Amino acid sequence: VVLVTLVASASALAWRDGSFAAYAVYVATLGLGQAAYLGTGAQYLWTDFLEWNRVSTFVLPSLSAAVGLWFVRGVTEPARHSHLLDRLALGTMVLLSAVTLADALVPATGSYTVVSLLILFSLILIGAMIATVWLYGDDPDIQLIALGFAPVVLFALFPLARTLGLIPTGFLTRYGLPIGAALEMPILLYALNVLALLLLFLVLP
């Protein structure tokens, strides 16, 4: 996570590309969320902050979903094809962040289920944005972006299903998302570099 975040940040500066910056924030947030969820954050990163450790397992994974939605919206630019889809993505991103932070400050009954449903809707929107650009866009390399997000979208369904009471706790409900994230990060980083190179060749005289 640290390595990909550093490479994406360096690429953002080198290419002057906001997509790399958004990806760096997304990877960092996703990594911190998994550190909180798996307990390594409390063990190694914020050992002296007990109150933060209590809320981080809820706040960080939820915010990483919102940041992931922000990243995909920036890369796919759904407003070019559907203003409704673009507004749904923006509204869901803001609502998910607001509900997550509000519950961290003032815990409410049922908020975890609401956030889980918003995360599920975010995954649906991510799939819809990628599918829209794939079908109607003129970017031949969007398939790489779709391939990169596929592991996380697939494996995130298992812990969400467990949270909603649809399946019992198992290996994939606990470790599926870290596995999906590990598969996703290098693929997306490669895809962004391919897109950046393509844009460079298009603007060269």
Side-chain angles (χ1 to χ4, degrees):
V1 169
V2 174
L3 178 60
V4 173
T5 301
L6 290 175
V7 172
S9 300
S11 298
L13 294 174
W15 294 107
R16 297 181 180 178
D17 190 338
S19 296
F20 281 103
Y23 183 57
V25 175
Y26 166 63
V27 169
T29 310
L30 181 64
L32 289 173
Q34 290 308 298
Y37 179 75
L38 296 174
T40 52
Q43 187 174 0
Y44 298 110
L45 300 179
W46 46 79
T47 55
D48 298 327
F49 299 94
L50 297 180
E51 183 62 23
W52 169 243
N53 182 55
R54 182 185 67 82
V55 300
S56 63
T57 55
F58 174 77
V59 171
L60 288 174
S62 303
L63 289 182
S64 69
V67 174
L69 190 57
W70 169 57
F71 167 65
V72 176
R73 178 175 175 266
V75 172
T76 60
E77 298 180 341
R80 294 184 300 170
H81 308 286
S82 171
H83 289 290
L84 175 61
L85 184 58
D86 182 64
R87 288 167 184 163
L88 281 174
L90 182 60
T92 303
M93 180 178 63
V94 173
L95 183 60
L96 177 57
S97 301
V99 173
T100 299
L101 295 177
D103 186 77
L105 297 174
V106 184
T109 304
S111 59
Y112 198 83
T113 300
V114 173
V115 168
S116 297
L117 290 173
L118 286 172
I119 292 175
L120 178 60
F121 189 59
S122 298
L123 295 177
I124 295 173
L125 286 175
I126 287 173
M129 287 188 288
I130 292 175
T132 299
V133 177
W134 192 318
L135 292 174
Y136 303 108
D138 54 0
D139 190 345
D141 296 301
I142 196 63
Q143 290 89 344
L144 288 173
I145 300 293
L147 178 63
F149 263 98
V152 163
V153 172
L154 176 63
F155 283 108
L157 295 176
F158 291 96
L160 282 174
R162 178 186 58 80
T163 300
L164 297 173
L166 300 177
I167 60 174
T169 300
F171 178 81
L172 287 179
T173 62
R174 183 164 179 80
Y175 301 110
L177 191 54
I179 293 172
L183 294 173
E184 173 207 59
M185 291 179 191
I187 298 174
L188 280 181
L189 186 62
Y190 172 74
L192 288 174
N193 277 283
V194 169
L195 292 175
L197 286 171
L198 177 63
L199 290 175
L200 177 64
F201 287 128
L202 289 176
V203 300
L204 283 175

